Amino acid sequence: MRRRLLGRLSGAVASLWVLAGAAEAPAGAGGAAEPCLRLPYVYTKWKHFTTENGLPNDHVFAVRSHENDLWVGTENGLALIDKRRGEVVKVWREKDGLPFQAVTGIDVDPQTGAVWLGLFGGGLARFSGGRFDHWHQLNSGLVNDVVYDVVVANDSVWCATTAGASRFDTKTGEWAIFTEKNAPMEEIWNYAVDYDPQANKIFLAVWGSGVLEYDLATGRWQEYIDPDGEMEIDLYRDDGINHVIVTGVTAIDGVMWVSSYFGGTRYDGRSWRGFPDIEGGLPSLFNNNVRGRTAYEAWYCSDKGAGAIVDLDPETWVQYTRDGKTGYAVVKQRLRPEDKTLATVEVIETGLNVPHTFVVNADIEGDDVFIGTSHGLGWGIGEGYYPRLKERPRMGRARAERAAPGGVSAPAPK
Amino acid sequence: MRLRMFLAVALLLGAGCAVVEPGEGAAEAPCNEWIPFDHPKLVELLRLIDVGDHFETPPLEIRKDDNYAGTPADVEPFSGTRPFNEFFLKQMEYTGPGRAEPEPESLESVKIGFIGPIMSTVSVATGGKSHEEALGIPMLQGARLALEQWNERGGYLKRKIPFELVVSNDNGLWGASGNEIIKQNYRDKVWAILGTIDGANSHIAIRVALKCEVVMMNTGDTDPTFIETNIPWVMRNIGDDRQQSYLLIDYAYRKLGYEKIGIIRASNRYGRFGVREIRDSARRLQKPVPVEMAYMVGQEDFELELSRLRDAGVDAIVHWGNAVEGALILNQMRAMGMRQPYLACDRCAHPDFVAIAGANAEGVVCGYPWNPESRNPNLARFRAAYRERFGQEPETYAAHAYDGMNMLIWAIQAAGLNRAKIRDVLAYLPEPWPGVTGDIQLSACLDDVGDVYLARFENGDWNYYSRADLDIPKGYIPPRDRVSRVAEETAQK
């Protein structure tokens, strides 16, 4: 099984060489001390939640951490995890008042503590004071009941729906709808929404219309679409969003992180940076979402594990994946700027990290990360977390390889 | 597995269609209405996808196509540039946990969803009023016929329970299809879904299908972008507008030598995306389309649009829209003295078009996704059964829905009641599906890349021609993906 996973990662490795000083033995396994390299923090301590320890359903669609509360939206119910106790303390299904079984978006209003829920076919719900309030197409200005994502921005709640975006003013009760009529949406299939409080802007990830940025102060739109305009190719690297079908967006520290089923993209306001799977950093082209942590770190939710890009200088990724009963963190780095692919510089057997390789959603709070997958939730506990890179010895099996252009570098099996 | 095979053999023999087990000899002619359940490749696939737990991803081969959609080099986008990345060539994977889900124990029927435009309504998205019921109702009938025939053969063979069609109207309002698929998934708990036609609704539906992890078999949406989404749960069994456009382009430019073609199209997603390959290909062939006019669905006077086309001095006109508007445009065009050849999409090769256009229909050429005059015995059987069941002749949407439903049910029979395995069986067809619409060959991105045709109205009837029939030249189709092609061409030099 392990061999199969690693073999899959290996792809078409045409040539490889071991870097000078990069022994195959685990660090500290005798011999001369290994030199310290600039390496990222790697999550090695994880908690897991499935139906076996309280989740209402294993298919996790949404996760949101807010102080001590960890809210988990699944395909059949909502769960609350008490982070101090480290356990599921409450579950709601439809019979408990949850307006619809599938919860695809969650956000918490920092002012009121109200929990807002995007319901996959059930509209929008607010959980407050132990009660669910429910808005849908027939009783409100919600443009569609298929809500993929929800975010609280000041006094408003924004919903990304399959037929446009809706904004609900929680003070006045007024609704606004954004579709092709009043926004630059060539298509109206909204997939995700994010709010950048620093910039006071809303970011919509729209399937077929790229990313739309809405300035709350001016009411102006800015669109970001694939510059080549073609579905079947990405013409140039780093020229913009790599595909018009966008699945997720996070704006943080002046940087926009974008996910799609065709890779990932970063934009800092001046330059674009594309992340295709063929370079070996991003685990897969197929990315369900992205959660940015800083201008340098973002977690991509792919169908082949979580891919955390943790620095750009040099470009460094940590891929979290599992195989059978255990998990691996694979550190990838672009060793020289001219290298076309990233090399594997560290492979750490972490024990189980992400519960399943099909990652759907992620959230980050403080030093911890929370990974929703199609079979359970993983909580990465960031003891001693540090951002970007720092010099440290390798923690586990260490090996560096380089793939031929177009191939994917990866660790070789034992 | 062996038990399932046995049941299949027994029941299908009873229905007059033999399945030949390996090593038993071909005592009876093998059935050619579907792929045999004992096909060695299918048997091996079923073994591979029989995973032990939710965390195992079977080691399935990832197919890689040489060329996307059989696109000739001279009509490829940015053909002079080597792209950084090319999509839709590698087979999409499903890496989720679904294969380990067991069959539910108590079921009274095996539900399959149908979603299509079957009831008239108001539609903003499709141009002001719904207009696709004429396509959706035959689609429903074709799907229903296939399902009824499988029920006559014993239903779901493994459990001897019937198949049940769960029908939803795709009423054209954007987003409605999403709600319907949610309902089919969570309330009705369907095992697979067939539909839709309208491109906008299709896109909404497939995003839901992806999240719910249920197969969506499309048999009627010819929007090229439908499949250009990288969703491993979505497949299509009808030749799309890209394929039909390539043939029309080759016919108009490479064979007939037209220099200047004008476009008139419906102002909806079908028209907008349908003509995209025509317009882009013309430009790439150095013969750009001078005028493209859009009209509202339901419009009856096209003088403004046609006068612009006339003033542009075009050699021929391409229409992309429904049959009624297509015929009205043609009539008005002729009344205005415009004698240009009239080329159109497959929706115009329809009795409504002929009824309205009358003598003007003579010589009209349409792209067509299949050959309804084929001597395929499956088609003859289907025609007879459809006539007997519904008292009318089957058309494009009925025939493709019949094939699509047969593919879904065949996959359910082979894979069992597991959505992921149903997907796998369809994504890894051991050979082209022997459909009534011809052999259905799916590309790596699960799109039908089989032959398409031209329909020409001659002497009061539609005649169907393949590329070979009309000796239509074809552009060079490189046998290699674009990213690695340059190196190969350099080496050849």
Side-chain angles (χ1 to χ4, degrees):
Chain A
M1 175 58 72
R2 179 167 188 253
R3 182 174 296 270
R4 183 183 299 163
L5 171 83
L6 295 173
R8 193 168 66 232
L9 286 170
S10 299
V13 176
S15 64
L16 57 91
W17 67 88
V18 178
L19 285 177
E24 283 206 35
E34 269 198 296
C36 286
L37 302 173
R38 291 184 69 223
L39 293 168
Y41 178 82
V42 174
Y43 285 84
T44 57
K45 189 174 178 183
W46 292 79
K47 279 180 182 289
H48 300 96
F49 297 90
T50 64
T51 51
E52 290 183 4
N53 56 354
L55 285 189
N57 186 277
D58 282 329
H59 199 166
V60 177
F61 281 154
V63 55
R64 178 68 74 234
S65 173
H66 180 69
E67 299 172 352
N68 185 53
D69 295 339
L70 179 58
W71 296 92
V72 185
T74 78
E75 194 165 19
N76 193 16
L78 172 72
L80 173 62
I81 293 171
D82 183 315
K83 285 158 69 176
R84 272 191 294 272
R85 290 164 59 182
E87 60 189 53
V88 177
V89 292
K90 182 75 176 168
V91 162
W92 294 266
R93 293 190 178 87
E94 286 183 327
K95 64 181 174 58
D96 306 308
L98 183 66
F100 193 76
Q101 69 176 70
V103 180
T104 35
I106 305 175
D107 202 11
V108 180
D109 187 332
Q111 299 180 74
T112 65
V115 181
W116 291 88
L117 306 171
L119 304 172
F120 193 51
L124 174 70
R126 175 178 59 197
F127 182 68
S128 179
R131 188 186 77 186
F132 288 99
D133 295 306
H134 188 202
W135 292 267
H136 51 81
Q137 282 177 252
L138 301 180
N139 74 351
S140 72
L142 185 66
V143 67
N144 191 273
D145 283 345
V146 180
V147 180
Y148 281 94
D149 199 6
V150 62
V151 72
V152 176
N154 306 320
D155 293 331
S156 295
V157 178
W158 286 72
C159 301
T161 89
T162 203
S166 282
R167 182 184 65 198
F168 177 54
D169 187 317
T170 59
K171 296 289 188 202
T172 65
E174 290 177 355
W175 286 86
I177 289 175
F178 300 95
T179 64
E180 82 283 8
K181 306 287 186 194
N182 58 352
M185 291 182 194
E186 184 178 354
E187 310 295 1
I188 58 175
W189 310 314
N190 286 241
Y191 224 18
V193 58
D194 190 42
Y195 172 57
D196 180 356
Q198 291 172 303
N200 200 29
K201 290 177 178 173
I202 290 291
F203 292 81
L204 296 169
V206 188
W207 172 293
S209 283
V211 172
L212 301 180
E213 173 189 303
Y214 182 72
D215 189 324
L216 290 170
T218 65
R220 289 189 183 141
W221 291 93
Q222 168 72 46
E223 62 180 332
Y224 304 96
I225 55 175
D226 180 7
D228 61 54
E230 299 294 339
M231 302 290 274
E232 66 266 45
I233 58 169
D234 185 19
L235 187 62
Y236 297 117
R237 197 191 195 289
D238 302 336
D239 65 345
I241 289 176
N242 51 20
H243 205 277
V244 76
I245 291 179
V246 171
T247 59
V249 60
T250 298
I252 189 165
D253 296 345
V255 162
M256 184 168 74
W257 298 94
V258 181
S259 63
S260 79
Y261 298 138
F262 304 85
T265 322
R266 176 186 184 273
Y267 181 57
D268 64 8
R270 288 176 63 89
S271 305
W272 290 91
R273 183 69 172 269
F275 305 116
D277 66 334
I278 52 176
E279 295 186 346
L282 191 63
S284 170
L285 272 188
F286 191 95
N287 290 276
N288 288 304
N289 217 321
V290 62
R291 177 65 61 184
R293 181 178 225 159
T294 65
Y296 295 94
E297 181 173 337
W299 287 62
Y300 280 87
C301 308
S302 92
D303 66 341
K304 292 178 181 166
I309 179 168
V310 293
D311 207 345
L312 293 162
D313 184 25
E315 182 179 333
T316 303
W317 291 74
V318 186
Q319 300 175 346
Y320 294 90
T321 187
R322 66 164 291 166
D323 175 16
K325 301 300 179 194
T326 192
Y328 299 89
V330 181
V331 179
K332 300 273 197 169
Q333 219 162 46
R334 194 183 300 275
L335 298 175
R336 294 177 306 202
E338 65 270 24
D339 287 350
K340 292 193 173 177
T341 58
L342 279 68
T344 301
V345 294
E346 195 174 30
V347 180
I348 303 163
E349 191 167 329
T350 60
L352 197 56
N353 49 61
V354 292
H356 197 279
T357 53
F358 195 96
V359 179
V360 179
N361 209 321
D363 197 20
I364 301 167
E365 188 174 33
D367 292 341
D368 295 351
V369 296
F370 308 91
I371 308 295
T373 78
S374 59
H375 202 80
L377 176 83
W379 173 2
I381 299 169
E383 284 179 1
Y385 169 80
Y386 59 87
R388 303 185 71 175
L389 308 174
K390 76 172 190 182
E391 288 197 350
R392 65 162 172 81
R394 274 189 286 250
M395 289 191 287
R397 179 180 172 77
R399 181 172 184 149
E401 302 173 344
R402 180 166 304 163
V408 178
S409 62
K414 279 179 183 173
Chain B
M1 184 65 216
R2 297 290 296 177
L3 177 62
R4 189 188 306 164
M5 285 299 168
F6 229 48
L7 279 169
V9 170
L11 289 162
L12 297 177
L13 277 171
C17 187
V19 174
V20 180
E21 291 247 56
E24 291 180 352
E28 297 184 44
C31 172
N32 62 356
E33 288 186 69
W34 53 80
I35 298 168
F37 292 110
D38 60 351
H39 192 294
K41 287 184 179 174
L42 176 61
V43 172
E44 174 61 9
L45 174 69
L46 292 171
R47 188 187 69 76
L48 289 173
I49 63 177
D50 190 17
V51 296
D53 59 35
H54 290 97
F55 308 104
E56 185 180 346
T57 302
L60 302 176
E61 183 186 351
I62 306 299
R63 203 169 96 211
K64 185 166 185 288
D65 289 347
D66 290 334
N67 183 289
Y68 177 57
T71 306
D74 52 4
V75 297
E76 284 176 337
F78 300 102
S79 58
T81 303
R82 177 187 178 188
F84 172 68
N85 210 348
E86 189 173 10
F87 306 123
F88 314 127
L89 297 180
K90 270 175 70 177
Q91 184 154 14
M92 295 166 292
E93 298 174 78
Y94 168 65
T95 60
R99 296 181 184 90
E101 291 299 311
E103 281 206 21
E105 291 196 350
S106 55
L107 280 179
E108 293 181 354
S109 65
V110 175
K111 293 180 178 175
I112 300 176
F114 171 92
I115 182 162
I118 52 174
M119 292 166 62
S120 179
T121 184
V122 175
S123 167
V124 175
T126 52
K129 58 176 266 193
S130 68
H131 56 96
E132 290 175 334
E133 296 80 44
L135 316 177
I137 290 169
M139 185 165 90
L140 173 59
Q141 292 177 169
R144 192 184 292 285
L145 178 62
L147 185 135
E148 289 172 354
Q149 288 179 341
W150 278 102
N151 278 340
E152 287 169 12
R153 297 179 190 116
Y156 177 48
L157 300 172
K158 188 178 174 187
R159 307 262 287 263
K160 295 185 177 172
I161 53 177
F163 291 100
E164 179 183 346
L165 200 59
V166 178
V167 179
S168 291
N169 185 44
D170 169 1
N171 71 5
L173 290 169
W174 286 34
S177 54
N179 290 333
E180 293 301 323
I181 298 223
I182 295 270
K183 178 176 161 293
Q184 292 197 348
N185 181 66
Y186 290 126
R187 300 294 184 244
D188 301 314
K189 300 188 188 310
V190 300
W191 293 97
I193 297 171
L194 186 145
T196 61
I197 293 177
D198 173 70
N201 284 323
S202 298
H203 270 282
I204 288 170
I206 61 178
R207 297 195 317 148
V208 176
L210 167 66
K211 203 95 175 164
C212 296
E213 301 193 344
V214 61
V215 165
M216 185 96 202
M217 170 66 77
N218 188 287
T219 66
D221 178 9
T222 52
D223 173 359
T225 68
F226 167 80
I227 209 75
E228 295 172 339
T229 48
N230 255 2
I231 298 179
W233 293 90
V234 170
M235 49 204 72
R236 172 163 63 188
N237 77 347
I238 185 169
D240 69 1
D241 288 340
R242 177 189 288 273
Q243 298 299 321
Q244 294 178 50
S245 292
Y246 287 163
L247 187 55
L248 279 170
I249 282 288
D250 288 345
Y251 177 70
Y253 289 119
R254 299 189 208 268
K255 181 174 176 64
L256 300 182
Y258 296 148
E259 290 292 323
K260 209 157 56 164
I261 286 179
I263 292 176
I264 182 166
R265 64 164 176 86
S267 180
N268 58 15
R269 189 181 174 86
Y270 176 67
R272 183 161 54 107
F273 280 85
V275 299
R276 207 157 83 163
E277 291 308 321
I278 298 272
R279 187 184 57 226
D280 290 349
S281 297
R283 189 181 68 248
R284 290 163 191 157
L285 291 171
Q286 311 292 313
K287 297 173 181 178
V289 171
V291 184
E292 177 181 331
M293 300 301 295
Y295 62 83
M296 296 300 292
V297 174
Q299 189 173 319
E300 294 180 353
D301 180 3
F302 304 91
E303 186 177 358
L304 171 69
E305 292 83 0
L306 288 173
S307 61
R308 296 279 168 82
L309 288 162
R310 181 190 56 203
D311 294 347
V314 295
D315 299 334
I317 288 177
V318 169
H319 168 255
W320 224 270
N322 286 339
V324 171
E325 286 88 348
L328 292 173
I329 289 166
L330 176 61
N331 287 348
Q332 193 165 4
M333 191 177 136
R334 297 295 185 240
M336 290 169 67
M338 297 171 67
R339 309 312 306 168
Q340 288 94 337
Y342 195 70
L343 312 174
C345 59
D346 62 294
R347 288 190 185 184
C348 289
H350 190 276
D352 289 350
F353 180 91
V354 176
I356 297 169
N360 287 332
E362 186 69 18
V364 168
V365 174
C366 299
Y368 216 69
W370 66 302
N371 179 7
E373 291 179 340
S374 157
R375 295 171 66 187
N376 175 356
N378 287 345
L379 177 57
R381 275 194 292 271
F382 164 65
R383 280 190 187 288
Y386 192 93
R387 269 196 303 266
E388 185 180 339
R389 175 69 176 81
F390 301 110
Q392 53 189 244
E393 281 295 321
E395 42 68 274
T396 295
Y397 293 85
H400 285 84
Y402 180 79
D403 278 344
M405 185 57 71
N406 272 320
M407 293 169 79
L408 289 179
I409 294 180
W410 171 84
I412 291 171
Q413 301 281 24
L417 296 180
N418 177 294
R419 288 176 172 180
K421 290 180 180 176
I422 294 167
R423 186 215 83 93
D424 289 339
V425 166
L426 289 165
Y428 288 88
L429 285 177
E431 56 188 50
W433 180 261
V436 301
T437 57
D439 283 351
I440 296 168
Q441 183 156 2
L442 299 182
S443 65
C445 63
L446 306 182
D447 201 9
D448 182 0
V449 289
D451 291 336
V452 294
Y453 295 81
L454 291 182
R456 190 157 66 192
F457 197 74
E458 298 164 318
N459 304 316
D461 208 356
W462 291 105
N463 293 310
Y464 300 88
Y465 298 98
S466 68
R467 181 183 288 274
D469 291 337
L470 296 179
D471 197 21
I472 299 172
K474 195 177 194 175
Y476 170 64
I477 300 175
R480 189 70 69 238
D481 65 272
R482 292 184 60 180
V483 173
S484 55
R485 196 187 304 161
V486 173
E488 183 182 78
E489 287 170 352
T490 304
Q492 281 176 351
K493 286 175 188 171

